[in-house]
Amino acid sequence: MQGLLRGLVYGGLIITVLMTATAWGMWLERKLAARMQSRIGPNVVGKFGLLQPVADLMKLLQKEEIYPIGADRLLFDLAPFLVTTFAIATAAVVPFSAEAVGADLDVGLLWVLALGGLMVIPVWMAGWASNNKFALIGGMRAVAQSISYGVPLVLTSLVAVVFTGTMSLSGIVKFQIEHGWLALWPPGPGVVAFVLFYMALLAESNRIPFDIPEAESELVAGITTEYTGMKFGLLYVGEYVHTMVGSAIAAVIFLGGWDGPFHIASGLHWMVIKTVALFASVYWVRWSLLRFRSDQLMRLCWLYLVPVSLGLVVFAALWRHFVLR
Amino acid sequence: MGYLLDSIRALGVTAKNIGRKPVTVQFPKVIRERQERYRTSFALLKDEQGEERCVGCLACERICPSQIIHMSSTKKESPVTGKKRGYLDDFTLDMTACIFCELCVQVCPFDAIVMLKVPHEPGYVREDLVLTMAKLYENAEKPLTWGNGTKLMEMQEPPKPAPAQAAAPVPAPAAAPVPAAVPVPAAAPAPAPVPVPASAAAAEPAKTEAP
Amino acid sequence: MGETLATSGGSQVQTWLAAVGFVLFSMVIAATMLGAAKLFAVKSKKPGALRDRPYECGEEPVGETRIQFHPRYYVVALFFVLFDVEAAFLFPWALVLSKLGVAALVLMGIFMAVLMLGWLYALKKEALRWQ
Amino acid sequence: MAVIDESGQAYDHPLYTTLINVPGLSVAVASIDQLLTWGAKNALYIFPMATSCCGIEFMATAAARVDIDRIGSIVRATPRQADVMVIAGTITVKMAPKVKRLWDQMPEPKWAIAMGSCAISGDFYRDLYPTVPGIDTILPVDVYVPGCPPDPQALMHGMLRLQEKIAAKQAGTWRAPELRPETEKMHGPAVRRIDDPERDPAITAEQSRQAGLQSPDAPEGELDWRGAEPVPVQAALELEALLRERFGIEDFPADSAPIVPRDRHLELANTLKAMGYSLLIYVVASHWPKPEGDTFEVAYALRSPNAGAKLAQWRVVLQPGETIESLASVFAAADWQEREQYDLLGVHFANHPDLRRIMLPENWQGHPLRRDYAADTACRPWR
């Protein structure tokens, strides 16, 4: 019971901060995108447009709810709920600092991968329930993409497990504090693993260049085509939270979590800086690159990413066995 | 590989842009300066004696491709010159279907109708976009474009031999105010040499501060 | 590095409970947002006759929505199962790698080799070629 | 959220109506209300209904110079997530039901901006057969942005006016502008046309005379648009030889294409295709009303893209009641071109795979490019 209470209190704290951060992450994305296009971005609502996410929320709250004819109403409602739940719940095991962690599970990494993998289900639910062809095609592609890129995601995080010998996220960070960040040490494969993980992260959170499920130019709005008001908002927020948590996990696994460079002033702030930087870089990529075609996406994954990440696992095992001992 | 290199270049371009100054003109605060020949909306002018220039000759009404100008007039004795001439009773210009072709300005023999540099305000009903006679005369206070009927017609005529005393280089038609006595187009009856219209058109700088 | 695993035992129950609490809270958040929308959302008094039709760029929807899909998606699903099950085997192996020694390394090497043989076969059959 | 519409309430707000009646809660409700109103007006997502040139200006509004994102507006491709429909461009009679459907599919509260003369009133196409005379004949428009097209800044201004309107409306202080009685039901421009029968022609003539203007009907002098005589080229000679030898045609007018008998037209097309004329350039029909019935002339042009880009043209004349063999079996491109001629002129093509209307709505009456078709023929429900 004491644990449940801790989860609720810590969870409440972390989730509130996370949601707030995500809301202003959206603002950051719009501002960044605007500056990349020589625009200003939102700057009328509040100082520097800082209240824009609040205005968006208020507007979404009052929009009418529409169920299209032939929609599966239960799944239609359940999908946004589950997307948000899964996206947030992933954050339970992320150690933002040595103390600020919701539940430091000894199989934390498995928790992350499992909940991240579960995201496929509500996305497909949304696509199926809408009774809309764009949504259905978007959902189908989303499933294909998510499960495909799930494989390199799992394998690259396996690299970290092989190196560190633990699946607890805080354990991985502690190992990195001792032995150096995984992205930098051992030189070479760590960086490759990090890059592959980053690409898989982009694909899992449906960001350009892997945003086939949304693909505004082909599929209108993908799975969200029929969603109005807050349900659309939840699907949207879910994606951003997913990206934010994914960035945090990438920072934990490969960038040493709360450890400062050369152990300088380690603490929560380093984790925040790394997460936000990764989050911003996702949107930097998003507003710079083009979208892959569906078949290119699949080929990239199965022909290159999967074998390379398998090779990395083998390398990690050898390194672990012969160098670290 | 090519995709990778191009991607990196693309990332570089966007990163470079972040540091640049945005080109956005923040509309309600700063009103963007219009180009020299930008033209929207209309105004009716009065001459120096305060008399309406328009005599209701229907030239604009007839030439309007969208057929949105409607006027009616009566003949009265002018209090200023004492001659009989037409006076507008009503003049309506319906902006809901205007295409801003400027033909009405070009055909006006009295330089009575001119165009503005500031657009007509968006309205809540169609009627907000109908320029009545009162609104058109009010609009004369706003920044006008350089062109009026005389100048526009001059532009299209073949260049005339310069008069002896006006040997000085002719200023560019776009910017310069018209010399005091312009030759009157042959078609127009001469109600005295056409006086310079308040000529705010060319001289007035574009308004750039808050309304 | 095996301490976490070894020392966990009883305290892990509390940690799992904490994780459950976290999930509960995230559900509460999502439910709150949906509930607030139910409260504040307006309702159309005279909805347009075509409001509830599925969106198809303004056209009347043509044909069935829930159609059959290309089998290539099925192949992808099969591959996913294959590789994810493999990853599930790899995790425990990775955790205890340092204790098991060279034998584990060799055995897992054989396992991966067999897997990659299958991958090569699929490649040759062009099962992963879309289009 | 007092959602009073001038035409009664367009949407209901159950929570508000319940809470406002609870004593003591009015302050809380009022502040929630203000917050919601503030949100509604500061996050206007746009659904672009861009059908023609105004759409380009609309895109420019979202671009860097004006940047509509500044006021929190983004463009969504689906009506389900949009608040404002920006109708930018001419709406044709065939497009109108689609626009209406998309409008219906937008969730309340929703708003519409008519951008540019065509959307507002149909502009100078407003009396033509395919044009809807103003989008406000099918859906309620909140803001009219004049211009042809309006520049991006004008659209931004329109968005700001819309924000003012939303604030006023949701605060319950919105009052519809008072209309002059004669324009209250204005569905066309307020201005009467010159050819308005109510206009006294004497006034017009008198006004012209006063102004010392010539009659505007006076001829402007002869215009000669004819160019040089067409130079016979090799392709024309080749076609001529073919027609003389195989089809026995002797009449070759200098200024137009030779006339081929109706029953040998398909054969000619096949022959020419075999000779390398593999590209169908056009199928154009024209209508000649005659006392004994309607005659049609259908002109064809083929091109051989490989051998020096030669052009072969011929005509087929259809007497009243006759049909012409479709070329769709020879040239795939003939399919829709013949449909177009059928749609606009009513020429019947025999053995066409799918002879339906292509440009006009299925239930259209008549064929608008016939010479006896009045350009402003009544078209339900707009005219």
Side-chain angles (χ1 to χ4, degrees):
Chain A
M1 267 317 99
Q2 173 205 345
L4 198 64
L5 200 68
R6 179 193 148 93
L8 284 173
V9 173
Y10 261 70
L13 203 68
I14 291 176
I15 290 172
T16 314
V17 174
L18 189 74
M19 294 296 276
T20 322
T22 310
W24 273 282
M26 289 181 198
W27 170 84
L28 179 73
E29 187 217 346
R30 281 172 84 165
K31 276 300 214 188
L32 267 181
R35 291 309 298 269
M36 284 176 201
Q37 298 164 356
S38 293
R39 295 187 285 125
I40 296 182
N43 76 338
V44 173
V45 192
K47 191 100 181 141
F48 305 121
L50 272 169
L51 293 181
Q52 193 60 56
V54 185
D56 283 338
L57 179 75
M58 287 300 143
K59 190 217 69 177
L60 288 172
L61 272 180
Q62 55 186 302
K63 289 298 271 185
E64 188 184 8
E65 287 185 320
I66 295 177
Y67 295 93
I69 290 175
D72 190 326
R73 293 175 81 115
L74 177 67
L75 294 186
F76 194 73
D77 278 350
L78 204 56
F81 172 76
L82 286 184
V83 163
T84 317
T85 307
F86 288 154
I88 302 176
T90 317
V93 294
V94 179
F96 290 94
S97 78
E99 297 83 29
V101 44
D104 190 12
L105 291 181
D106 51 4
V107 288
L109 195 60
L110 206 59
W111 171 277
V112 167
L113 294 173
L115 280 179
L118 273 181
M119 282 289 273
V120 175
I121 291 167
V123 165
W124 173 237
M125 264 185 197
W128 180 261
S130 300
N131 190 27
N132 180 303
K133 283 163 202 147
F134 296 118
L136 187 78
I137 296 172
M140 200 70 202
R141 287 187 186 177
V143 171
Q145 173 183 322
S146 279
I147 62 174
S148 296
Y149 280 80
V151 173
L153 193 78
V154 169
L155 288 177
T156 42
S157 38
L158 196 66
V159 172
V161 179
V162 173
F163 273 130
T164 58
T166 172
M167 284 173 75
S168 148
L169 288 179
S170 53
I172 292 178
V173 175
K174 278 171 198 148
F175 175 88
Q176 293 183 68
I177 294 174
E178 258 173 65
H179 294 86
W181 298 0
L182 276 180
L184 304 174
W185 190 259
V191 179
V192 177
F194 175 60
V195 170
L196 292 193
F197 187 89
Y198 186 78
M199 284 168 80
L201 171 72
L202 287 179
E204 287 281 304
S205 49
N206 299 339
R207 290 297 157 208
I208 288 175
F210 306 109
D211 76 329
I212 292 288
E214 273 212 35
E216 287 104 335
S217 50
E218 305 159 26
L219 295 182
V220 184
I223 53 164
T224 63
T225 304
E226 291 288 350
Y227 280 91
T228 64
M230 204 58 221
K231 275 181 275 181
F232 158 66
L234 280 186
L235 285 173
Y236 201 64
V237 166
E239 256 179 20
Y240 277 81
V241 174
H242 196 172
T243 317
M244 183 67 97
V245 175
S247 311
I249 290 164
V252 164
I253 298 183
F254 290 103
L255 296 183
W258 64 83
D259 181 28
F262 310 108
H263 312 300
I264 299 165
S266 298
L268 181 64
H269 51 276
W270 275 114
M271 186 64 190
V272 172
I273 289 171
K274 286 171 191 173
T275 308
V276 171
L278 275 175
F279 183 79
S281 78
V282 168
Y283 291 100
W284 177 28
V285 171
R286 176 181 176 181
W287 289 98
S288 304
L289 299 191
L290 306 173
R291 179 183 307 128
F292 276 117
R293 222 169 45 219
S294 216
D295 60 316
Q296 292 170 331
L297 196 81
M298 288 296 155
R299 220 178 43 230
L300 178 73
C301 178
W302 289 107
L303 246 57
Y304 303 105
L305 297 196
V306 168
V308 170
S309 43
L310 256 182
L312 283 176
V313 173
V314 173
F315 174 88
L318 294 175
W319 182 277
R320 167 86 185 164
H321 206 270
F322 295 110
V323 182
L324 276 185
R325 304 251 6 121
Chain B
M1 207 61 213
Y3 183 88
L4 198 68
L5 287 179
D6 287 348
S7 303
I8 290 166
R9 203 175 305 143
L11 289 169
V13 169
T14 45
K16 218 189 289 167
N17 255 4
I18 290 181
R20 275 204 200 135
K21 197 170 171 292
V23 297
T24 308
V25 179
Q26 306 199 31
F27 167 61
K29 274 192 247 162
V30 187
I31 292 175
R32 197 172 148 197
E33 195 170 329
R34 305 292 176 170
Q35 290 298 312
E36 185 57 44
R37 301 197 173 190
Y38 186 87
R39 48 172 209 252
T40 56
S41 198
F42 293 88
L44 283 175
L45 298 182
K46 297 185 176 177
D47 63 14
E48 287 110 351
Q49 286 92 29
E51 267 210 307
E52 298 167 356
R53 280 170 180 276
C54 180
V55 298
C57 70
L58 287 184
C60 50
E61 178 166 335
R62 283 178 181 283
I63 202 155
C64 180
S66 309
Q67 307 196 356
I68 52 161
I69 299 177
H70 170 74
M71 65 175 89
S72 60
S73 59
T74 43
K75 213 169 175 184
K76 276 188 289 190
E77 207 163 85
S78 162
V80 180
T81 58
K83 287 179 191 165
K84 266 198 146 189
R85 53 160 279 195
Y87 280 94
L88 283 180
D89 293 331
D90 185 29
F91 190 104
T92 322
L93 198 152
D94 187 354
M95 294 282 288
T96 58
C98 181
I99 58 167
F100 307 107
C101 60
E102 207 189 21
L103 285 175
C104 48
V105 178
Q106 288 181 25
V107 298
C108 184
F110 304 103
D111 298 348
I113 186 164
V114 291
M115 294 188 83
L116 302 185
K117 265 187 174 178
V118 286
H120 192 78
E121 270 219 345
Y124 293 130
V125 285
R126 271 198 194 190
E127 199 185 313
D128 286 354
L129 308 188
V130 177
L131 285 168
T132 55
M133 195 163 74
K135 282 192 201 166
L136 281 163
Y137 278 117
E138 272 170 36
N139 272 353
E141 307 299 316
K142 295 182 179 166
L144 307 174
T145 49
W146 67 278
N148 57 28
T150 314
K151 283 190 236 170
L152 288 168
M153 273 203 237
E154 250 178 17
M155 268 176 69
Q156 293 171 15
E157 279 166 13
K160 287 179 186 133
Q165 75 273 25
V170 181
V178 189
V182 269
V184 184
V194 176
V196 189
S199 178
E204 181 139 349
K207 209 179 195 176
T208 45
E209 70 278 346
Chain C
M1 277 303 122
E3 311 86 43
T4 334
L5 203 65
T7 54
S8 55
S11 69
Q12 274 297 309
V13 177
Q14 294 299 328
T15 321
W16 274 103
L17 274 176
V20 171
F22 201 96
V23 175
L24 283 181
F25 200 93
S26 57
M27 284 171 136
V28 168
I29 288 269
T32 314
M33 285 166 91
L34 277 180
K38 286 261 183 252
L39 275 182
F40 288 110
V42 299
K43 284 190 177 52
S44 201
K45 274 198 159 178
K46 293 173 283 181
L50 306 166
R51 185 190 69 172
D52 295 340
R53 299 299 176 87
Y55 170 81
E56 212 151 284
C57 305
E59 295 283 347
E60 183 67 29
V62 182
E64 267 288 291
T65 301
R66 282 136 190 175
I67 46 165
Q68 288 185 321
F69 262 91
H70 199 285
R72 64 197 181 193
Y73 287 100
Y74 184 67
V75 176
V76 169
L78 280 181
F79 263 93
F80 166 71
V81 171
L82 198 67
F83 276 87
D84 240 32
V85 168
E86 179 228 0
F89 284 135
L90 284 178
F91 272 112
W93 165 78
L95 280 179
V96 292
L97 183 64
S98 53
K99 302 196 184 98
L100 293 183
V102 185
L105 215 57
V106 172
L107 285 176
M108 203 39 89
I110 295 171
F111 176 73
M112 281 189 196
V114 171
L115 193 79
M116 288 319 276
L117 271 181
W119 177 81
L120 276 175
Y121 176 73
L123 210 62
K124 193 158 174 295
K125 282 275 176 191
E126 302 203 327
L128 296 169
R129 232 183 123 83
W130 282 33
Q131 216 126 90
Chain D
M1 209 178 323
V3 282
I4 313 295
D5 213 312
E6 60 258 60
S7 59
Q9 288 192 335
Y11 47 88
D12 202 359
H13 197 269
L15 175 76
Y16 181 80
T17 39
T18 319
L19 289 187
I20 198 75
N21 292 323
V22 179
L25 268 185
S26 54
V27 176
V29 173
S31 50
I32 292 175
D33 199 33
Q34 276 182 355
L35 202 60
L36 290 178
T37 307
W38 170 81
K41 94 181 178 52
N42 279 311
L44 290 169
Y45 293 2
I46 295 174
F47 179 69
M49 193 65 243
T51 55
S52 47
C53 32
C54 284
I56 306 294
E57 298 293 317
F58 172 79
M59 291 173 213
T61 315
R65 191 57 76 92
V66 173
D67 188 14
I68 205 139
D69 194 21
R70 279 183 52 239
I71 57 169
S73 289
I74 54 176
V75 180
R76 294 298 305 176
T78 160
R80 303 290 194 196
Q81 293 146 18
D83 311 290
V84 192
M85 182 187 251
V86 175
I87 300 110
T90 326
I91 303 298
T92 57
V93 167
K94 194 169 184 180
M95 192 72 188
K98 277 82 177 171
V99 178
K100 178 74 173 128
R101 178 189 290 267
L102 292 170
W103 171 254
D104 278 355
Q105 287 181 340
M106 279 169 66
E108 298 278 357
K110 58 189 172 188
W111 320 88
I113 291 182
M115 176 185 180
S117 294
C118 288
I120 296 172
S121 68
D123 205 345
F124 64 9
Y125 315 109
R126 61 186 181 271
D127 283 347
L128 289 183
Y129 64 90
T131 313
V132 173
I135 193 65
D136 50 4
T137 55
I138 54 169
L139 52 88
V141 172
D142 294 286
V143 174
Y144 297 84
V145 183
C148 188
D151 70 349
Q153 195 168 291
L155 180 62
M156 186 74 168
H157 198 171
M159 291 293 290
L160 296 177
R161 296 291 309 261
L162 179 63
Q163 288 191 342
E164 287 164 24
K165 181 172 183 172
I166 292 171
K169 236 182 178 175
Q170 304 221 356
T173 56
W174 170 255
R175 292 286 170 270
E178 287 192 5
L179 301 177
R180 287 189 297 178
E182 69 268 25
T183 50
E184 202 174 12
K185 286 176 182 165
M186 188 166 73
H187 274 326
V191 173
R192 283 178 301 160
R193 301 203 146 199
I194 287 187
D195 47 12
D196 189 340
E198 287 172 26
R199 256 187 100 93
D200 183 0
I203 295 176
T204 310
E206 170 64 14
Q207 283 173 338
S208 300
R209 207 185 47 73
Q210 275 180 5
L213 289 179
Q214 280 182 329
S215 162
D217 306 323
E220 290 182 7
E222 297 264 322
L223 280 177
D224 191 5
W225 293 108
R226 277 170 299 175
E229 286 292 305
V231 184
V233 290
Q234 195 196 347
L237 294 175
E238 188 179 272
L239 180 70
E240 201 176 316
L242 176 77
L243 289 176
R244 269 187 215 283
E245 287 159 21
R246 296 268 299 271
F247 293 83
I249 293 165
E250 290 303 329
D251 181 24
F252 290 96
D255 56 349
S256 69
I259 294 174
V260 173
R262 195 166 62 95
D263 49 341
R264 301 197 67 185
H265 141 75
L266 193 62
E267 186 192 340
L268 174 65
N270 272 318
T271 317
L272 284 172
K273 193 181 183 187
M275 285 165 65
Y277 290 83
S278 54
L279 192 63
L280 180 76
I281 304 288
Y282 60 72
V283 180
V284 182
S286 50
H287 174 225
W288 304 95
K290 284 179 185 160
E292 65 271 18
D294 291 347
T295 309
F296 291 96
E297 224 181 76
V298 189
Y300 291 85
L302 301 182
R303 195 166 148 182
S304 67
N306 302 326
K310 292 180 289 187
L311 194 69
Q313 291 164 296
W314 75 92
R315 287 181 293 160
V316 180
V317 176
L318 299 180
Q319 297 309 322
E322 285 180 344
T323 60
I324 183 170
E325 194 69 21
S326 165
L327 282 196
S329 58
V330 188
F331 296 101
D335 184 330
W336 60 267
Q337 297 202 31
E338 287 174 354
R339 270 177 74 188
E340 186 181 338
Q341 301 310 317
Y342 163 73
D343 187 4
L344 299 176
L345 282 138
V347 182
H348 281 270
F349 292 87
N351 299 328
H352 189 283
D354 182 27
L355 199 60
R356 288 183 292 126
R357 288 191 179 274
I358 183 169
M359 299 170 99
L360 297 169
E362 289 285 322
N363 53 1
W364 189 270
Q365 301 291 319
H367 302 281
L369 287 194
R370 289 195 176 196
R371 304 223 169 181
D372 49 3
Y373 190 93
D376 52 353
T377 299
C379 159
R380 302 272 170 268
W382 291 284
R383 204 177 278 120

